[in-house]
């Protein structure tokens, strides 16, 4: 057993590094928030502009393309960037560069393959929805590559580069949106959004000096198959549930209902920017906590999730007090439909924020099987609550069903994290006792 005097000496000697580590953590979190602020301002501006320019029905069409992009994005993250941030956060530069070349190549390959599928589907659908999906298919490679650069930079602890990359996207978006407004169609706005992301993706290559290796995608998938395919199913079940709910809501209630829900989500946009900004760095940071102080991981996740849930409730309360004139100024005609959904959307975001803390812990632990189980349960509840609520009580019922599903899913995430932490602690005991 170590003498007490030695323990005291060790505590004193490690205090300065601990303070330094906390400063570094705050710095990385700050860049995560700044980066997501830049990204979300762009996305928020696009949503507001389309809502005001095209009305609630066309905005519903745009929202269908948006949620489809969300599914494809989560395919890319599950296969390419999620394994990257779990296994290559804080590693030596040479190891990181090789992994990034393969990871970004995988993201580019996913964008190309699924872009072809979206393009073919759009050409086959025709009507109002078809051109929007065709435009999305053309833009997917650039959109996914830009997102892959962001995660690559955060894995290296270089959040400033991710922030600059998103600023470049926002700057390129301004002239692109001006052109789209003159064309005045959903497809034009999708093209403008994707083209500006492609500019930022090209700049990411200049920032990193790493060429995405599309030919190495198969090697990356083989190396990361123990995590990648589980994360793929987990991510797709999340975004796929959102897509199924949007499509089902459009069928049950109407496309305008999809626009109303998206409008309410836009009202939560500034807080969602904070939540998503933290999500860029939570898994890398949780992985660092696990390596340096495993006993602190549960507390880290609890502070993370609880803080996000409290922030969502505060933001939603502020929205309820917001004058109607400001809402109309922001969303135009969409405001009248969206304003009735603020309470439900707030509870949904709060539940998601609480669950994010537990999800980060499970990712850091590499407990892909547990996290997959949680996500499948949460996604099933999301679809069932969203569509069941729509069938019973229309748009409002769907929003209440999703809120209940999100809170229930969060509880399951935390139960699984508690079990995973106990299992991890049990597995570490023999290592401690071995000389």
């Amino acid at each position: 057993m170590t003498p007490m005097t030695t323990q005291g000496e060790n505590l004193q000697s490690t205090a300065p590094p601990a303070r330094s580590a906390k400063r570094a953590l705050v710095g990385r979190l700050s860049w995560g928030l700044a980066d997501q602020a830049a990204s979300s301002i762009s996305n928020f501006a696009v949503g507001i502009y389309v809502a005001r320019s095209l009305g609630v029905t066309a905005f519903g069409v745009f929202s269908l393309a948006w949620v489809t992009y969300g599914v494809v994005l989560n395919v890319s993250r599950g296969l390419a960037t999620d394994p990257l941030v779990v296994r290559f956060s804080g590693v030596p530069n040479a190891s990181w560069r090789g992994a990034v070349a393969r990871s970004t190549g995988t993201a580019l390959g996913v964008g190309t393959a699924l872009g072809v599928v979206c393009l073919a589907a759009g050409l086959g659908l025709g009507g109002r929805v078809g051109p929007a999906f065709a435009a999305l298919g053309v833009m997917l490679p650039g959109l996914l590559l830009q997102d892959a650069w962001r995660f690559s930079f955060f894995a290296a602890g270089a959040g400033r580069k991710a922030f600059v990359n998103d600023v470049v996207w926002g700057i390129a978006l301004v002239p692109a949106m001006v052109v789209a407004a003159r064309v005045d169609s959903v497809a034009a706005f999708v093209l403008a959004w994707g083209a500006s992301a492609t500019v930022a993706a090209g700049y990411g290559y200049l920032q990193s000096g790493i060429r995405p290796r599309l030919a190495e995608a198969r090697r990356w998938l083989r190396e990361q198959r123990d995590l990648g395919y589980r994360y793929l199913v987990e991510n797709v079940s999340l975004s796929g549930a959102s897509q199924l709910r949007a499509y089902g809501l459009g069928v049950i209630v109407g496309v305008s209902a999809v626009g109303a829900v998206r409008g309410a989500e836009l009202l939560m946009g500034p807080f969602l920017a904070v939540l998503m900004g933290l999500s860029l760095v939570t898994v890398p940071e949780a992985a660092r906590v696990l390596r340096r102080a495993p006993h602190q991981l549960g507390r880290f996740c609890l502070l993370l999730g609880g803080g996000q849930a409290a922030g969502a409730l505060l933001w939603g309360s502020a929205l309820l007090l917001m004058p109607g004139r400001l809402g109309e100024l922001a969303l135009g005609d969409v405001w009248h439909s969206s304003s009735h959904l603020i309470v439900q959307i707030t509870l949904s975001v709060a539940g998601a924020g609480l669950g994010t803390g537990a999800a980060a812990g499970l990712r850091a632990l590499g407990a892909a099987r547990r996290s997959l189980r949680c996500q499948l349960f949460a996604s099933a509840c999301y679809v069932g609550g969203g569509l069941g609520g729509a069938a019973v009580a229309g748009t409002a019922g769907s929003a209440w069903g999703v809120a209940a599903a999100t809170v229930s899913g969060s509880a399951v995430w935390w139960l699984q994290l508690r079990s995973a932490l106990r299992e991890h602690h049990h597995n570490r005991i023999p290592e401690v006792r071995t000389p």
Side-chain angles (χ1 to χ4, degrees):
M1 182 179 293
T2 305
M4 290 298 294
T5 54
T6 305
Q7 288 179 351
E9 291 169 1
N10 289 341
L11 286 173
Q12 291 173 0
S13 64
T14 57
R19 288 196 296 268
S20 178
K22 287 181 180 179
R23 287 196 296 268
L25 170 62
V26 171
R28 289 190 295 267
L29 290 175
S30 298
W31 281 118
L33 292 174
D35 169 74
Q36 190 57 46
S39 175
S40 294
I41 286 171
S42 298
N43 292 338
F44 184 73
V46 171
I48 293 295
Y49 203 78
V50 174
R52 289 183 58 82
S53 300
L54 301 180
V56 67
T57 300
F59 186 57
V61 173
F62 181 83
S63 298
L64 291 176
W66 188 282
V67 296
T68 302
Y69 160 71
V71 174
V72 177
L73 180 65
N74 279 297
V75 170
S76 176
R77 288 179 177 177
L79 294 177
T81 54
D82 283 347
L84 178 76
V85 298
V86 169
R87 287 183 167 154
F88 295 92
S89 292
V91 300
N93 186 62
S95 177
W96 174 80
R97 291 180 68 87
V100 168
R102 298 192 295 278
S103 175
T104 53
T106 302
L108 191 59
V110 170
T112 302
L114 295 184
V116 170
V117 174
C118 277
L119 177 61
L123 294 176
L125 285 171
R128 282 186 167 187
V129 177
F133 276 75
L136 177 64
V138 173
M139 293 293 106
L140 276 178
L143 284 162
L144 298 192
L145 181 57
Q146 192 275 338
D147 184 75
W149 286 127
R150 296 172 68 205
F151 279 82
S152 299
F153 292 140
F154 278 110
R160 180 181 61 83
K161 290 186 176 181
F163 169 73
V164 171
N165 192 275
D166 271 322
V167 169
V168 169
W169 184 1
I171 293 172
L173 186 62
V174 174
M177 293 295 289
V178 171
V179 174
R182 292 181 179 178
V183 178
D184 198 33
S185 71
V186 176
F189 283 108
V190 174
L191 288 172
W193 169 57
S196 54
T198 303
V199 171
Y203 184 66
Y205 166 72
L206 297 178
Q207 287 177 291
S208 65
I210 301 173
R211 181 170 60 87
R213 296 186 179 275
L214 184 59
E216 295 287 324
R218 183 174 297 178
R219 176 186 170 190
W220 175 261
L221 295 174
R222 185 171 61 252
E223 291 173 344
Q224 310 301 327
R225 63 182 178 272
D226 59 325
L227 294 183
Y229 293 116
R230 286 194 175 98
Y231 289 159
L232 168 65
V233 176
E234 181 180 328
N235 290 356
V236 170
S237 69
L238 171 64
S239 55
S242 177
Q243 189 177 29
L244 287 174
R245 186 256 185 136
Y247 289 167
L249 187 60
V251 171
I252 296 170
V253 184
V255 176
S256 60
V258 181
V261 170
R262 177 60 184 157
E265 292 171 348
L266 279 174
L267 293 173
M268 294 293 294
F271 178 77
L272 286 172
V274 174
L275 192 153
M276 295 178 68
L278 289 173
S279 71
L280 291 170
V281 294
T282 50
V283 176
E285 292 306 324
R288 289 184 176 96
V289 171
L290 181 64
R291 292 191 188 103
R292 297 172 182 171
H295 61 285
Q296 293 289 336
L297 181 60
R299 180 172 178 268
F300 173 82
C301 295
L302 182 60
L303 290 173
L304 175 67
Q308 291 179 107
L313 293 174
L314 288 173
W315 182 262
S317 298
L319 288 177
L320 290 172
L321 299 175
M322 184 175 68
R325 291 181 181 178
L326 291 180
E328 292 176 0
L329 182 64
L331 296 179
D333 293 339
V334 178
W335 163 255
H336 299 289
S337 301
S338 299
S339 60
H340 301 292
L341 306 176
I342 292 175
V343 173
Q344 300 97 307
I345 296 296
T346 298
L347 293 175
S348 297
V349 175
L354 185 61
T356 296
L362 287 175
R363 287 286 176 96
L365 289 165
R369 187 169 298 177
R370 289 185 181 275
S371 61
L372 175 59
R373 195 179 303 149
C374 292
Q375 192 55 67
L376 290 176
F377 174 82
S379 297
C381 289
Y382 185 94
V383 174
L387 297 186
V392 173
T395 308
S398 179
W400 278 117
V402 166
T406 306
V407 173
S408 301
S410 179
V412 173
W413 278 106
W414 279 101
L415 289 172
Q416 287 295 320
L417 176 62
R418 185 177 65 174
S419 298
L421 287 171
R422 288 177 177 174
E423 184 178 284
H424 179 75
H425 176 69
H426 177 74
N427 292 337
R428 282 178 55 85
I429 292 176
E431 299 175 13
V432 174
R433 292 177 178 173
T434 302

